Structure formats: structure tokens, C-alpha cells
Amino acid sequence: MPNPFKSNQTVLFQGDSITDARRLTDEDGGLGSGYVRIIASLLGARYPELGLKILNRGISGNRVADLEARWQEDCLDLKPDWLSILIGVNDCWRAFDSNDPTRVEDFEAGYRRILDAVKAQGDVNLVICEPFLLPCPDDRVAWRADLDPKIHVVRQLAREYGAIFVPFDGAFAAAACRQEMDYWLPDGVHPTPAGYGLMAKTWLQALRA
């Protein structure tokens, strides 16, 4: 299997709390305790000669608009060679807990603007991850009507921008057929250690790394 990475490349992960994973309280590299740390550990073990630099800039609660507001400092200025984005579940969640919905048209427009800004900067390897949700607890069932159109937008953008696509929603749906949903996502959104392991596995498989 060919190695997709080159020496001394920077791999930047962007997103919300799922990516954040308490990174600001992490004294060991600021990677957090989630899928970013697992991926960094495995890449470091597989390709020690490459000297890859892994960065986590996920921030809990972020929506697409929040990414856009901090995009210059937390993305463009870092000049990543690889950029992995996981965003969208809070654009859904706020409609239900704060009566503050994000229209799918606004979600798509904001996502396009951050992707266009990255593309304008040069040759960046894009990794676009679909947001995910399991109906656990039961009230999450109603969320699918809001989230599913945003997932379709993410899939379309991955095709349009030539990104590597990471099918997290499909991975968790399949995993929930093997073990109870709260084994993976106790609140339907935030992963357990096993859930983070599944994310890392799915991400690395998508990159064939």
C-alpha cells in the first residue's frame, strides 16, 4: 500500500468538540484524547522517518460559521499540507437545544468559502469527513431530518473539490449493528474510546495510510 504522506508534512485537523476532545487541557502535544491522538500515534509508529507534524484545532461547539470566523489564524496561517475537516453536527444540534438552526443553504455556502480559501492558498490535500449521528437517546431520531441534508452537502463538496471522503456516518451505522449504540456514541454524537477508535480506523482506511 503506497504511503500518501511526504517528509515533514503538516496534517491539520479541524472541527468541533469531537475533534477537540479536550485538547486545551492536554499537556502532551495538544492533540486531545480522541481520534486525532489515535491517528497521530499510528502514523508516528508507521512512518517514523517522515517526521509528520500533527495539529488539532478543533473547538467545542463550533459550527461552519465559527470555522470561517477563525479560518485565517487557525488554518491558512498554519499552511497545512493536509487538512481534515469534520463539522456539521452543531449546525444541526443548535436547532434543537437553542432554537438557532443553520439553513442547509447557509451551511453549504460557508463550507464552500472555507474550502475556496484553502484552495486559493495552494496545493493542499483535503480530507472531508461526514458528520454523524446515532438515534441514542430516542429524541435524536428527529435530528436526522436536519442533519441528513447537510451530510449530502458534505458528500457533494468532497466530490466537487476532489477531497478524500471519510464516511463516518456510515461507519457508525454499520458499527451499531454489531454492538449497542451507546457503546459507540452514548449521546448519539460524542464517541466513547471505542467510538474514537472506529473513527481513527475509518479515517486511515479512507487515506489508505
Side-chain angles (χ1 to χ4, degrees), residues 134 170-181 183-184 198:
L134 288 178
F172 277 109
C177 296
R178 299 182 59 197
Q179 184 54 275
E180 295 294 333
M181 289 184 286
Y183 176 84
W184 307 104
L198 178 63

mmCIF file of all heavy atoms in Angstrom, residues 134 170-181 183-184 198:
data_model
loop_
_atom_site.group_PDB
_atom_site.id
_atom_site.type_symbol
_atom_site.label_atom_id
_atom_site.label_comp_id
_atom_site.label_asym_id
_atom_site.label_seq_id
_atom_site.Cartn_x
_atom_site.Cartn_y
_atom_site.Cartn_z
ATOM 1 N N LEU A 134 -26.189 8.906 15.796
ATOM 2 C CA LEU A 134 -26.973 7.708 16.056
ATOM 3 C C LEU A 134 -28.196 8.100 16.884
ATOM 4 O O LEU A 134 -28.131 9.023 17.701
ATOM 5 C CB LEU A 134 -26.143 6.670 16.823
ATOM 6 C CG LEU A 134 -25.037 5.956 16.037
ATOM 7 C CD1 LEU A 134 -24.274 4.987 16.938
ATOM 8 C CD2 LEU A 134 -25.605 5.207 14.835
ATOM 9 N N GLY A 170 -21.760 6.475 7.950
ATOM 10 C CA GLY A 170 -21.959 5.090 7.536
ATOM 11 C C GLY A 170 -21.222 4.112 8.424
ATOM 12 O O GLY A 170 -21.734 3.023 8.733
ATOM 13 N N ALA A 171 -20.022 4.495 8.868
ATOM 14 C CA ALA A 171 -19.240 3.611 9.732
ATOM 15 C C ALA A 171 -19.946 3.372 11.064
ATOM 16 O O ALA A 171 -19.990 2.245 11.569
ATOM 17 C CB ALA A 171 -17.852 4.195 9.961
ATOM 18 N N PHE A 172 -20.521 4.433 11.635
ATOM 19 C CA PHE A 172 -21.216 4.263 12.905
ATOM 20 C C PHE A 172 -22.538 3.512 12.731
ATOM 21 O O PHE A 172 -22.931 2.724 13.603
ATOM 22 C CB PHE A 172 -21.447 5.613 13.584
ATOM 23 C CG PHE A 172 -20.257 6.083 14.362
ATOM 24 C CD1 PHE A 172 -19.496 7.151 13.924
ATOM 25 C CD2 PHE A 172 -19.876 5.446 15.533
ATOM 26 C CE1 PHE A 172 -18.384 7.582 14.640
ATOM 27 C CE2 PHE A 172 -18.768 5.860 16.260
ATOM 28 C CZ PHE A 172 -18.021 6.937 15.809
ATOM 29 N N ALA A 173 -23.223 3.721 11.619
ATOM 30 C CA ALA A 173 -24.443 2.965 11.360
ATOM 31 C C ALA A 173 -24.146 1.476 11.274
ATOM 32 O O ALA A 173 -24.883 0.643 11.828
ATOM 33 C CB ALA A 173 -25.097 3.460 10.070
ATOM 34 N N ALA A 174 -23.056 1.132 10.596
ATOM 35 C CA ALA A 174 -22.676 -0.277 10.495
ATOM 36 C C ALA A 174 -22.237 -0.826 11.851
ATOM 37 O O ALA A 174 -22.586 -1.954 12.226
ATOM 38 C CB ALA A 174 -21.545 -0.432 9.467
ATOM 39 N N ALA A 175 -21.475 -0.026 12.601
ATOM 40 C CA ALA A 175 -20.994 -0.474 13.906
ATOM 41 C C ALA A 175 -22.141 -0.720 14.872
ATOM 42 O O ALA A 175 -22.075 -1.622 15.719
ATOM 43 C CB ALA A 175 -20.027 0.555 14.479
ATOM 44 N N ALA A 176 -23.222 0.068 14.748
ATOM 45 C CA ALA A 176 -24.374 -0.090 15.634
ATOM 46 C C ALA A 176 -25.133 -1.380 15.380
ATOM 47 O O ALA A 176 -25.983 -1.768 16.186
ATOM 48 C CB ALA A 176 -25.315 1.105 15.480
ATOM 49 N N CYS A 177 -24.818 -2.058 14.287
ATOM 50 C CA CYS A 177 -25.385 -3.380 14.033
ATOM 51 C C CYS A 177 -24.578 -4.472 14.722
ATOM 52 O O CYS A 177 -25.025 -5.624 14.803
ATOM 53 C CB CYS A 177 -25.450 -3.648 12.529
ATOM 54 S SG CYS A 177 -26.559 -2.545 11.626
ATOM 55 N N ARG A 178 -23.414 -4.131 15.219
ATOM 56 C CA ARG A 178 -22.539 -5.106 15.884
ATOM 57 C C ARG A 178 -22.587 -4.996 17.403
ATOM 58 O O ARG A 178 -22.327 -5.966 18.104
ATOM 59 C CB ARG A 178 -21.095 -4.908 15.414
ATOM 60 C CG ARG A 178 -20.881 -5.112 13.923
ATOM 61 C CD ARG A 178 -19.415 -4.931 13.569
ATOM 62 N NE ARG A 178 -18.577 -5.863 14.305
ATOM 63 C CZ ARG A 178 -17.254 -5.728 14.448
ATOM 64 N NH1 ARG A 178 -16.648 -4.672 13.927
ATOM 65 N NH2 ARG A 178 -16.567 -6.612 15.122
ATOM 66 N N GLN A 179 -22.878 -3.790 17.892
ATOM 67 C CA GLN A 179 -22.925 -3.542 19.324
ATOM 68 C C GLN A 179 -23.911 -2.404 19.577
ATOM 69 O O GLN A 179 -24.172 -1.588 18.701
ATOM 70 C CB GLN A 179 -21.519 -3.187 19.836
ATOM 71 C CG GLN A 179 -21.375 -2.983 21.325
ATOM 72 C CD GLN A 179 -21.867 -4.143 22.165
ATOM 73 O OE1 GLN A 179 -23.062 -4.191 22.446
ATOM 74 N NE2 GLN A 179 -20.978 -5.053 22.542
ATOM 75 N N GLU A 180 -24.448 -2.346 20.792
ATOM 76 C CA GLU A 180 -25.423 -1.315 21.126
ATOM 77 C C GLU A 180 -24.896 0.078 20.792
ATOM 78 O O GLU A 180 -23.701 0.361 20.890
ATOM 79 C CB GLU A 180 -25.774 -1.391 22.608
ATOM 80 C CG GLU A 180 -26.473 -2.668 23.024
ATOM 81 C CD GLU A 180 -27.857 -2.803 22.412
ATOM 82 O OE1 GLU A 180 -28.479 -1.752 22.108
ATOM 83 O OE2 GLU A 180 -28.319 -3.935 22.226
ATOM 84 N N MET A 181 -25.826 0.986 20.447
ATOM 85 C CA MET A 181 -25.427 2.318 20.004
ATOM 86 C C MET A 181 -24.647 3.078 21.065
ATOM 87 O O MET A 181 -23.690 3.794 20.756
ATOM 88 C CB MET A 181 -26.664 3.115 19.562
ATOM 89 C CG MET A 181 -27.253 2.610 18.257
ATOM 90 S SD MET A 181 -28.641 3.621 17.670
ATOM 91 C CE MET A 181 -29.919 3.100 18.825
ATOM 92 N N TYR A 183 -22.622 2.011 23.093
ATOM 93 C CA TYR A 183 -21.239 1.523 23.159
ATOM 94 C C TYR A 183 -20.316 2.436 22.364
ATOM 95 O O TYR A 183 -19.142 2.608 22.710
ATOM 96 C CB TYR A 183 -21.188 0.096 22.608
ATOM 97 C CG TYR A 183 -19.808 -0.519 22.532
ATOM 98 C CD1 TYR A 183 -19.233 -1.141 23.636
ATOM 99 C CD2 TYR A 183 -19.073 -0.493 21.338
ATOM 100 C CE1 TYR A 183 -17.969 -1.720 23.566
ATOM 101 C CE2 TYR A 183 -17.816 -1.062 21.263
ATOM 102 C CZ TYR A 183 -17.271 -1.677 22.380
ATOM 103 O OH TYR A 183 -16.015 -2.249 22.296
ATOM 104 N N TRP A 184 -20.871 3.037 21.306
ATOM 105 C CA TRP A 184 -20.090 3.889 20.409
ATOM 106 C C TRP A 184 -20.289 5.375 20.713
ATOM 107 O O TRP A 184 -19.312 6.116 20.803
ATOM 108 C CB TRP A 184 -20.484 3.611 18.954
ATOM 109 C CG TRP A 184 -20.426 2.189 18.549
ATOM 110 C CD1 TRP A 184 -21.486 1.335 18.383
ATOM 111 C CD2 TRP A 184 -19.263 1.407 18.279
ATOM 112 N NE1 TRP A 184 -21.056 0.095 18.019
ATOM 113 C CE2 TRP A 184 -19.682 0.104 17.940
ATOM 114 C CE3 TRP A 184 -17.891 1.686 18.265
ATOM 115 C CZ2 TRP A 184 -18.803 -0.918 17.602
ATOM 116 C CZ3 TRP A 184 -16.998 0.670 17.929
ATOM 117 C CH2 TRP A 184 -17.448 -0.607 17.605
ATOM 118 N N LEU A 198 -12.907 3.649 16.263
ATOM 119 C CA LEU A 198 -13.566 3.418 14.983
ATOM 120 C C LEU A 198 -13.332 4.589 14.036
ATOM 121 O O LEU A 198 -13.087 4.396 12.837
ATOM 122 C CB LEU A 198 -15.064 3.212 15.201
ATOM 123 C CG LEU A 198 -15.901 3.015 13.940
ATOM 124 C CD1 LEU A 198 -15.492 1.749 13.196
ATOM 125 C CD2 LEU A 198 -17.396 2.976 14.294
#
